Amino acid sequence: MRIGVPTETKTHEYRVACTPGGVHALVAAGHEVLVEAGAGAGSAMPDDEYVAAGATVVADAAEVWERAELVCKVKEPTPAEHAFLRPGLELFTYLHAAADLPLTRALLDHRVTSYAYETVTGPTGGLPLLAPMSEIAGRLAAQVGAVELMRSRGGRGILMGGVPGTPPAKVVVLGGGTVGRNAAQIALGMRADVTVVDVSPETLRAIDTETGGHVRTAASNAWEIEPFLLEADLVVGAVLVPGARTPHLVSDALVARMREGSVLVDVAIDQGGCFEVSHPTTHDDPVYQVHGSRVYAVANMPGAVPVTSTRALTNATLPYLLELASGTPLAVGADDGDHGPRRASLRAGLRAGLTTSEGLVRHVGVADAHGLPLATL
């Protein structure tokens, strides 16, 4: 199969969808890989490394999209890239289509077969292609929050860990999944006073065990968590409903009552955001003021650390990309020897990531978010 890797066009998105090592594996499997010139520069992966790995470097994005049968990206196609979509094209990337009706319409109108990293499942469950970026975003959330709390940035002027004789910052993490756990661990490492809120008692119990009881846990309901939010210096929105739009857990009215200079980091903004006051921002202009609080809602946080995140992403996506490029049907067939069970598992995981095909919506979360009919396989 001919696989295309274009340069990302989202503002300050420095990641690239495949490392030279990943290209080498694809070429060794018999595939042709087209990489747009300069696509890996932001991740410190120059064109000559891709050439050495067996890729063909092409001059511009239009050629990559036109010649490729399968396009592998990091972020969803931007409006400027919608013109490159066409019938018969396969697309493998983070889509977040439930929060983006124009993109969903473009995929349907152009009859693109699209697979979303964020809903692909692993052989034992979970979301293996989302997990590494969630780890990075969670850890960044605590770092970003610490910076935005400084008075010079417009925050409360409080140090995350305080010093002897002064209180630490109070950090509330909404959601105890991969993002929330990583945000809590980094905030705890900064010696902040950390509370994690989640709907699952099992998740809260696991976090309590992992942190030796040093992180406070709370059940997620409006009555219980409101006092924590009103006293919080930093709130990290880390709620995930796989493939669906994130519910607004914190209302505008509640934000208006929060501490002056408090910071809200909405890691869930790709899927619509945890806070009613959230709207997507960019690394160019990441923060805006609402009432007395500062809201950080950059939709591609891991793009700020591409040397780390590009490698982590390729490590996760490459087995699934190889499976897609194999051209075998996405159905569990007969065991094909030693690789049979694994290949069947990968196919099942890819089916969970299928978002659109043949002009139809294939994922229930996207269909529900936009009021579109669902066409199951």
Side-chain angles (χ1 to χ4, degrees), residues 94-115:
Y94 288 116
L95 279 176
H96 302 292
D100 192 339
L101 180 57
L103 172 62
T104 303
R105 290 289 188 194
L107 295 171
L108 296 175
D109 290 347
H110 291 90
R111 301 179 70 83
V112 174
T113 299
S114 63
Y115 300 87

Side-chain angles (χ1 to χ4, degrees), residues 249-345:
L249 300 185
V250 181
S251 68
D252 175 86
L254 182 53
V255 173
R257 296 165 56 203
M258 290 179 65
R259 284 178 162 178
E260 187 78 19
S262 59
V263 174
L264 284 64
V265 178
D266 199 340
V267 185
I269 192 61
D270 273 336
Q271 292 291 110
C274 289
F275 310 110
E276 186 181 1
V277 298
S278 292
H279 63 74
T281 61
T282 68
H283 290 293
D284 268 339
D285 189 15
V287 181
Y288 57 93
Q289 196 85 8
V290 176
H291 306 302
S293 298
R294 296 174 57 73
V295 181
Y296 179 101
V298 174
N300 60 326
M301 290 177 67
V305 287
V307 173
T308 298
S309 53
T310 287
R311 286 174 169 79
L313 182 60
T314 298
N315 291 343
T317 59
L318 184 59
Y320 292 89
L321 181 56
L322 284 164
E323 179 67 14
L324 270 181
S326 72
T328 54
L330 288 183
V332 179
D335 190 319
D336 57 354
D338 292 341
H339 299 294
R342 175 175 171 77
R343 289 173 69 84
S345 296

Side-chain angles (χ1 to χ4, degrees), residues 8-335:
E8 296 296 316
T9 58
K10 199 174 187 75
T11 303
H12 287 298
E13 179 52 74
Y14 300 106
R15 289 173 289 180
V16 62
C18 196
T19 64
V23 166
H24 184 268
L26 290 165
V27 172
H31 305 295
E32 180 183 356
V33 183
L34 307 175
V35 177
E36 184 181 349
S43 297
M45 298 172 185
D47 289 345
D48 57 3
E49 289 189 13
Y50 283 100
V51 172
T56 299
V57 174
V58 299
D60 56 39
E63 184 177 358
V64 173
W65 284 90
E66 181 181 351
R67 293 177 58 189
E69 299 164 275
L70 167 61
V71 170
C72 184
K73 291 183 84 277
V74 177
K75 294 300 291 179
E76 70 281 354
T78 59
E81 292 174 309
H82 291 184
F84 295 135
L85 302 177
R86 68 178 193 276
L89 179 71
E90 293 187 50
L91 177 64
F92 193 37
T93 187
Y94 288 116
L95 279 176
H96 302 292
D100 192 339
L101 180 57
L103 172 62
T104 303
R105 290 289 188 194
L107 295 171
L108 296 175
D109 290 347
H110 291 90
R111 301 179 70 83
V112 174
T113 299
S114 63
Y115 300 87
Y117 291 162
E118 69 271 16
T119 55
V120 169
T121 56
T124 58
L127 301 170
L129 309 192
L130 186 62
M133 298 303 100
S134 294
E135 291 168 347
I136 291 169
R139 297 181 184 199
L140 278 174
Q143 293 181 201
V144 165
V147 170
E148 295 302 330
L149 279 171
M150 295 191 298
R151 175 62 72 183
S152 58
R153 301 284 296 181
R156 275 179 50 75
I158 187 169
L159 183 67
M160 285 281 272
V163 293
T166 70
K170 292 186 176 181
V171 177
V172 176
V173 180
L174 302 177
T178 303
V179 171
R181 276 182 155 109
N182 280 271
Q185 288 167 0
I186 297 303
L188 183 64
M190 292 178 172
R191 298 189 175 188
D193 177 345
V194 184
T195 300
V196 176
V197 177
D198 198 274
V199 295
S200 167
E202 291 77 15
T203 295
L204 298 177
R205 192 172 293 111
I207 291 171
D208 182 74
T209 300
E210 290 168 6
T211 62
H214 293 294
V215 167
R216 186 183 297 107
T217 58
S220 182
N221 65 72
W223 180 262
E224 295 286 348
I225 69 174
E226 184 174 305
F228 290 115
L229 294 173
L230 293 178
E231 294 191 1
D233 299 299
L234 168 63
V235 181
V236 177
V239 173
L240 172 69
V241 182
R245 191 174 183 89
T246 303
H248 290 152
L249 300 185
V250 181
S251 68
D252 175 86
L254 182 53
V255 173
R257 296 165 56 203
M258 290 179 65
R259 284 178 162 178
E260 187 78 19
S262 59
V263 174
L264 284 64
V265 178
D266 199 340
V267 185
I269 192 61
D270 273 336
Q271 292 291 110
C274 289
F275 310 110
E276 186 181 1
V277 298
S278 292
H279 63 74
T281 61
T282 68
H283 290 293
D284 268 339
D285 189 15
V287 181
Y288 57 93
Q289 196 85 8
V290 176
H291 306 302
S293 298
R294 296 174 57 73
V295 181
Y296 179 101
V298 174
N300 60 326
M301 290 177 67
V305 287
V307 173
T308 298
S309 53
T310 287
R311 286 174 169 79
L313 182 60
T314 298
N315 291 343
T317 59
L318 184 59
Y320 292 89
L321 181 56
L322 284 164
E323 179 67 14
L324 270 181
S326 72
T328 54
L330 288 183
V332 179
D335 190 319

